[in-house]
Amino acid sequence: EDDRLKFLPRDELRRVFEEAGVDVDTDRQIVCTCGSGVSVCHLFLALEECGRDNGKDRTVIYDGSWTEWGADENTPKIIGEE
């Protein structure tokens, strides 16, 4: 059986989110994003696997992701020192 194609168990997923500073149980909206809008779906589903209730759009996908946001000269960006 190929475990690479499965999500981690719920407690391990929660630990990963916690270590990344994500509170799965927050009442605040979580906006999921990635570089192109493809891998973000895994993030969204992992949050649901952790028991996050998506009622009232508590978790959303920004499907334009960085490709769209970065190309728009009107969106805010923070550029670090080189």
Side-chain angles (χ1 to χ4, degrees), residues 2 10 23 42 54 65 68:
D2 190 351
R10 179 183 286 197
D23 178 3
H42 299 100
N54 193 33
S65 294
E68 180 180 275

Side-chain angles (χ1 to χ4, degrees), residues 19-81:
E19 289 176 0
V22 177
D23 178 3
V24 173
D25 298 315
T26 184
D27 287 331
R28 296 177 63 191
Q29 186 180 60
I30 295 178
V31 179
C32 302
T33 186
C34 69
S36 65
V38 177
S39 58
V40 69
C41 297
H42 299 100
L43 180 59
F44 183 92
L45 289 174
L47 286 165
E48 284 195 344
E49 285 291 313
C50 287
R52 182 159 174 84
D53 175 20
N54 193 33
K56 298 185 180 179
D57 292 329
R58 290 184 58 220
T59 310
V60 296
I61 293 175
Y62 174 58
D63 63 353
S65 294
W66 179 246
T67 302
E68 180 180 275
W69 189 271
D72 185 342
E73 62 185 43
N74 297 312
T75 56
K77 298 162 194 75
I78 298 173
I79 301 172
E81 295 180 27

